[in-house]
Amino acid sequence: MNNDDYKEALFYAASIFNERLGAEFSEDNLVLRCFQTENQQEVFEQFCKQYFPDRLEDRYTEDGYFDFHASAFIGKEDGVDGILLRTDIARHPAVLKHILLHELAHIFCIRNELDGDNFYEQYCMDDTISREENGTINAGYAVWRELIAELIAFELDDNCDMVPLRRKKDLLSYYEGELLTGNGKMGISMILCEAMTSAEGEASMTWDAAKSKFARFKPFDDPLYRDLLELVFTHIRECFIEIDRDFIYEIGVLYLSIAAQAMIASLKNRFQEE
């Protein structure tokens, strides 16, 4: 595929958003830039200088910064939004479409989740609240933003199938293990996403109808996981992508409690082995 092919794929995905969610993506307000490992830093700098100068403050020279398939960029106020896409990985067209849907969901959410304001800039920057609360808010928002972007991508992607939780046991266990690898926020996001997009989750309109179905499977036999799932399950059905500080703070508190619990269990196992 060449750059024109990638651009065509992006605006096909954008047309799905426009049709089904009333978005207004167009070539006037959405830009795409492709990169490969050999030129990633150069392309990033050029992209940011042209459209997103504030992102030049990112630590993009550090190892691991470009460990992503694609990344969404949000313009200031009415400025254009963008997607930076890695193209030195062979992908099936269906996989590419899902990746683009996910990144467009990030843009759609940030533009609409807080009545036009940017939640991250308002509540997650270092100078907004105390360090203790800032850590909780940041953790909660990190869990939420990946969860909601993947949920939207799933719902808009006709290639995604609903699978019952009994067929997701190994996947849920894998994501739970991410709590001990430094990738815990993403792991929890994906656990919640797998539950919400399961046959049980999709078929249940209320938490009362869903609760007993989830409780039969790990990790939702754990009250902390169950409380977190109830929180996002209810919120999404009542508010969709609209969020406030209190909701994100609750996610952060529950996430940190789950992470602490996992760490304590790991330490106990290690001491018993010794």
Side-chain angles (χ1 to χ4, degrees), residues 15 18 44 92 97 104 138 154 165 167 205 214:
S15 71
N18 293 346
F44 177 88
H92 189 280
K97 183 179 81 169
L104 287 169
N138 269 298
F154 181 93
L165 281 172
R167 289 170 52 190
M205 294 307 298
F214 289 126

Side-chain angles (χ1 to χ4, degrees), residues 35 66-71 84-87 89 91 99 103:
F35 75 96
F66 293 99
D67 291 346
F68 55 77
H69 285 272
S71 183
L84 190 63
L85 177 68
R86 178 179 294 280
T87 59
I89 297 176
R91 304 184 185 96
I99 290 171
E103 297 307 320

Side-chain angles (χ1 to χ4, degrees), residues 219-256:
F220 304 112
D221 56 340
D222 182 320
L224 286 175
Y225 279 94
R226 204 158 56 244
D227 287 349
L228 180 54
L229 180 58
E230 178 183 3
L231 177 65
V232 299
F233 183 99
T234 303
H235 182 91
I236 288 169
R237 278 159 174 71
E238 293 179 354
C239 304
F240 188 33
I241 66 172
E242 293 183 10
I243 57 177
D244 58 30
R245 181 186 178 280
D246 290 343
F247 169 64
I248 296 300
Y249 187 80
E250 286 187 72
I251 292 178
V253 169
L254 286 167
Y255 165 76
L256 292 174

Side-chain angles (χ1 to χ4, degrees), residues 54-178:
D54 58 306
R55 293 293 299 273
L56 289 169
E57 298 178 7
D58 287 9
R59 298 177 177 175
Y60 64 91
T61 60
E62 295 183 2
D63 290 342
Y65 182 89
F66 293 99
D67 291 346
F68 55 77
H69 285 272
S71 183
F73 287 66
I74 310 302
K76 293 293 185 181
E77 299 178 353
D78 295 329
V80 299
D81 300 313
I83 292 177
L84 190 63
L85 177 68
R86 178 179 294 280
T87 59
D88 53 358
I89 297 176
R91 304 184 185 96
H92 189 280
V95 174
L96 174 62
K97 183 179 81 169
H98 192 87
I99 290 171
L100 294 171
L101 287 172
H102 181 98
E103 297 307 320
L104 287 169
H106 279 306
I107 296 172
F108 179 78
C109 288
I110 291 172
R111 289 291 189 181
N112 295 280
E113 66 192 0
L114 197 67
D115 195 26
D117 291 332
N118 186 312
F119 185 95
Y120 183 84
E121 291 184 354
Q122 184 162 340
Y123 293 114
C124 298
M125 302 300 282
D126 291 341
D127 59 352
T128 56
I129 45 184
S130 74
R131 287 187 179 182
E132 181 179 357
E133 287 193 350
N134 194 40
T136 305
I137 294 285
N138 269 298
Y141 191 61
V143 171
W144 168 256
R145 68 186 175 212
E146 289 302 324
L147 165 63
I148 194 63
E150 186 56 25
L151 278 177
I152 291 174
F154 181 93
E155 294 297 337
L156 296 183
D157 190 345
D158 294 335
N159 294 309
C160 291
D161 296 322
M162 289 183 293
V163 177
L165 281 172
R166 68 176 184 275
R167 289 170 52 190
K168 296 187 176 188
K169 289 182 180 180
D170 291 343
L171 191 56
L172 291 172
S173 178
Y174 169 79
Y175 286 134
E176 191 176 2
E178 292 289 271

